[in-house]
PDB file of all heavy atoms in Angstrom:
ATOM      1  N   GLU A 373      -1.285  -1.766   4.264  1.00 96.00           N
ATOM      2  CA  GLU A 373      -1.548  -3.148   4.673  1.00 96.00           C
ATOM      3  C   GLU A 373      -0.591  -3.623   5.762  1.00 96.00           C
ATOM      4  O   GLU A 373      -0.668  -4.769   6.214  1.00 96.00           O
ATOM      5  CB  GLU A 373      -1.441  -4.077   3.455  1.00 96.00           C
ATOM      6  CG  GLU A 373      -2.564  -3.903   2.450  1.00 96.00           C
ATOM      7  CD  GLU A 373      -3.934  -4.120   3.065  1.00 96.00           C
ATOM      8  OE1 GLU A 373      -4.135  -5.175   3.698  1.00 96.00           O
ATOM      9  OE2 GLU A 373      -4.787  -3.219   2.937  1.00 96.00           O
ATOM     10  N   GLY A 374       0.342  -2.762   6.181  1.00 97.00           N
ATOM     11  CA  GLY A 374       1.285  -3.115   7.240  1.00 97.00           C
ATOM     12  C   GLY A 374       2.297  -4.166   6.818  1.00 97.00           C
ATOM     13  O   GLY A 374       2.728  -4.988   7.633  1.00 97.00           O
ATOM     14  N   LYS A 375       2.718  -4.114   5.541  1.00 97.00           N
ATOM     15  CA  LYS A 375       3.591  -5.163   5.022  1.00 97.00           C
ATOM     16  C   LYS A 375       4.921  -4.638   4.463  1.00 97.00           C
ATOM     17  O   LYS A 375       5.546  -5.284   3.629  1.00 97.00           O
ATOM     18  CB  LYS A 375       2.852  -5.958   3.946  1.00 97.00           C
ATOM     19  CG  LYS A 375       1.646  -6.719   4.488  1.00 97.00           C
ATOM     20  CD  LYS A 375       0.936  -7.507   3.395  1.00 97.00           C
ATOM     21  CE  LYS A 375      -0.254  -8.277   3.960  1.00 97.00           C
ATOM     22  NZ  LYS A 375      -0.999  -9.010   2.916  1.00 97.00           N
ATOM     23  N   LEU A 376       5.361  -3.488   4.930  1.00 97.00           N
ATOM     24  CA  LEU A 376       6.625  -2.945   4.436  1.00 97.00           C
ATOM     25  C   LEU A 376       7.818  -3.838   4.797  1.00 97.00           C
ATOM     26  O   LEU A 376       8.760  -3.977   4.009  1.00 97.00           O
ATOM     27  CB  LEU A 376       6.849  -1.534   4.977  1.00 97.00           C
ATOM     28  CG  LEU A 376       5.948  -0.432   4.409  1.00 97.00           C
ATOM     29  CD1 LEU A 376       6.350   0.918   4.979  1.00 97.00           C
ATOM     30  CD2 LEU A 376       6.010  -0.387   2.884  1.00 97.00           C
ATOM     31  N   ASP A 377       7.784  -4.447   5.973  1.00 96.00           N
ATOM     32  CA  ASP A 377       8.876  -5.347   6.363  1.00 96.00           C
ATOM     33  C   ASP A 377       8.953  -6.533   5.410  1.00 96.00           C
ATOM     34  O   ASP A 377      10.047  -6.985   5.046  1.00 96.00           O
ATOM     35  CB  ASP A 377       8.689  -5.842   7.801  1.00 96.00           C
ATOM     36  CG  ASP A 377       9.045  -4.773   8.832  1.00 96.00           C
ATOM     37  OD1 ASP A 377       9.764  -3.823   8.458  1.00 96.00           O
ATOM     38  OD2 ASP A 377       8.610  -4.884   9.983  1.00 96.00           O
ATOM     39  N   LEU A 378       7.803  -7.040   4.988  1.00 97.00           N
ATOM     40  CA  LEU A 378       7.785  -8.150   4.037  1.00 97.00           C
ATOM     41  C   LEU A 378       8.303  -7.707   2.669  1.00 97.00           C
ATOM     42  O   LEU A 378       8.964  -8.479   1.970  1.00 97.00           O
ATOM     43  CB  LEU A 378       6.370  -8.702   3.899  1.00 97.00           C
ATOM     44  CG  LEU A 378       5.883  -9.595   5.044  1.00 97.00           C
ATOM     45  CD1 LEU A 378       4.405  -9.942   4.859  1.00 97.00           C
ATOM     46  CD2 LEU A 378       6.715 -10.865   5.118  1.00 97.00           C
ATOM     47  N   VAL A 379       8.017  -6.467   2.298  1.00 97.00           N
ATOM     48  CA  VAL A 379       8.541  -5.937   1.037  1.00 97.00           C
ATOM     49  C   VAL A 379      10.064  -5.931   1.078  1.00 97.00           C
ATOM     50  O   VAL A 379      10.734  -6.367   0.132  1.00 97.00           O
ATOM     51  CB  VAL A 379       8.014  -4.511   0.768  1.00 97.00           C
ATOM     52  CG1 VAL A 379       8.781  -3.856  -0.387  1.00 97.00           C
ATOM     53  CG2 VAL A 379       6.526  -4.546   0.452  1.00 97.00           C
ATOM     54  N   ARG A 380      10.634  -5.471   2.188  1.00 96.00           N
ATOM     55  CA  ARG A 380      12.099  -5.450   2.323  1.00 96.00           C
ATOM     56  C   ARG A 380      12.668  -6.862   2.248  1.00 96.00           C
ATOM     57  O   ARG A 380      13.683  -7.111   1.586  1.00 96.00           O
ATOM     58  CB  ARG A 380      12.492  -4.797   3.650  1.00 96.00           C
ATOM     59  CG  ARG A 380      12.096  -3.344   3.775  1.00 96.00           C
ATOM     60  CD  ARG A 380      12.647  -2.746   5.063  1.00 96.00           C
ATOM     61  NE  ARG A 380      11.988  -1.492   5.361  1.00 96.00           N
ATOM     62  CZ  ARG A 380      11.015  -1.350   6.245  1.00 96.00           C
ATOM     63  NH1 ARG A 380      10.577  -2.386   6.920  1.00 96.00           N
ATOM     64  NH2 ARG A 380      10.463  -0.176   6.452  1.00 96.00           N
ATOM     65  N   THR A 381      12.022  -7.788   2.957  1.00 95.00           N
ATOM     66  CA  THR A 381      12.503  -9.163   2.986  1.00 95.00           C
ATOM     67  C   THR A 381      12.490  -9.795   1.600  1.00 95.00           C
ATOM     68  O   THR A 381      13.475 -10.407   1.172  1.00 95.00           O
ATOM     69  CB  THR A 381      11.636 -10.026   3.937  1.00 95.00           C
ATOM     70  OG1 THR A 381      11.700  -9.482   5.242  1.00 95.00           O
ATOM     71  CG2 THR A 381      12.105 -11.470   3.949  1.00 95.00           C
ATOM     72  N   GLU A 382      11.391  -9.624   0.896  1.00 96.00           N
ATOM     73  CA  GLU A 382      11.269 -10.204  -0.454  1.00 96.00           C
ATOM     74  C   GLU A 382      12.173  -9.493  -1.450  1.00 96.00           C
ATOM     75  O   GLU A 382      12.710 -10.119  -2.365  1.00 96.00           O
ATOM     76  CB  GLU A 382       9.807 -10.151  -0.916  1.00 96.00           C
ATOM     77  CG  GLU A 382       8.861 -11.016  -0.091  1.00 96.00           C
ATOM     78  CD  GLU A 382       9.295 -12.475  -0.073  1.00 96.00           C
ATOM     79  OE1 GLU A 382       9.623 -13.008  -1.150  1.00 96.00           O
ATOM     80  OE2 GLU A 382       9.280 -13.078   1.011  1.00 96.00           O
ATOM     81  N   ALA A 383      12.341  -8.193  -1.283  1.00 96.00           N
ATOM     82  CA  ALA A 383      13.215  -7.441  -2.183  1.00 96.00           C
ATOM     83  C   ALA A 383      14.665  -7.910  -2.048  1.00 96.00           C
ATOM     84  O   ALA A 383      15.396  -7.999  -3.038  1.00 96.00           O
ATOM     85  CB  ALA A 383      13.108  -5.949  -1.893  1.00 96.00           C
ATOM     86  N   GLU A 384      15.063  -8.230  -0.830  1.00 93.00           N
ATOM     87  CA  GLU A 384      16.436  -8.698  -0.585  1.00 93.00           C
ATOM     88  C   GLU A 384      16.698 -10.023  -1.297  1.00 93.00           C
ATOM     89  O   GLU A 384      17.832 -10.321  -1.673  1.00 93.00           O
ATOM     90  CB  GLU A 384      16.660  -8.848   0.914  1.00 93.00           C
ATOM     91  CG  GLU A 384      18.097  -9.145   1.314  1.00 93.00           C
ATOM     92  CD  GLU A 384      19.067  -8.048   0.904  1.00 93.00           C
ATOM     93  OE1 GLU A 384      18.884  -6.891   1.316  1.00 93.00           O
ATOM     94  OE2 GLU A 384      19.989  -8.362   0.116  1.00 93.00           O
ATOM     95  N   LYS A 385      15.641 -10.800  -1.516  1.00 89.00           N
ATOM     96  CA  LYS A 385      15.790 -12.101  -2.170  1.00 89.00           C
ATOM     97  C   LYS A 385      15.863 -11.986  -3.707  1.00 89.00           C
ATOM     98  O   LYS A 385      16.167 -12.962  -4.378  1.00 89.00           O
ATOM     99  CB  LYS A 385      14.614 -13.005  -1.811  1.00 89.00           C
ATOM    100  CG  LYS A 385      14.487 -13.343  -0.343  1.00 89.00           C
ATOM    101  CD  LYS A 385      13.227 -14.173  -0.109  1.00 89.00           C
ATOM    102  CE  LYS A 385      13.017 -14.457   1.368  1.00 89.00           C
ATOM    103  NZ  LYS A 385      11.744 -15.208   1.587  1.00 89.00           N
ATOM    104  N   MET A 386      15.524 -10.812  -4.234  1.00 77.00           N
ATOM    105  CA  MET A 386      15.480 -10.644  -5.692  1.00 77.00           C
ATOM    106  C   MET A 386      16.844 -10.918  -6.292  1.00 77.00           C
ATOM    107  O   MET A 386      17.877 -10.478  -5.785  1.00 77.00           O
ATOM    108  CB  MET A 386      15.047  -9.230  -6.054  1.00 77.00           C
ATOM    109  CG  MET A 386      13.601  -8.905  -5.713  1.00 77.00           C
ATOM    110  SD  MET A 386      12.391  -9.583  -6.865  1.00 77.00           S
ATOM    111  CE  MET A 386      12.736  -8.657  -8.342  1.00 77.00           C
ATOM    112  N   LEU A 387      16.851 -11.615  -7.434  1.00 64.00           N
ATOM    113  CA  LEU A 387      18.100 -11.891  -8.140  1.00 64.00           C
ATOM    114  C   LEU A 387      18.544 -10.639  -8.878  1.00 64.00           C
ATOM    115  O   LEU A 387      17.740  -9.797  -9.271  1.00 64.00           O
ATOM    116  CB  LEU A 387      17.890 -13.028  -9.143  1.00 64.00           C
ATOM    117  CG  LEU A 387      17.535 -14.394  -8.547  1.00 64.00           C
ATOM    118  CD1 LEU A 387      17.260 -15.387  -9.661  1.00 64.00           C
ATOM    119  CD2 LEU A 387      18.670 -14.910  -7.651  1.00 64.00           C
TER     120      LEU A 387
END
Side-chain angles (χ1 to χ4, degrees):
E373 290 302 307
K375 295 180 179 178
L376 289 183
D377 284 341
L378 283 173
V379 168
R380 296 186 195 101
T381 300
E382 295 303 314
E384 188 61 58
K385 297 176 184 177
M386 292 282 293
L387 296 176

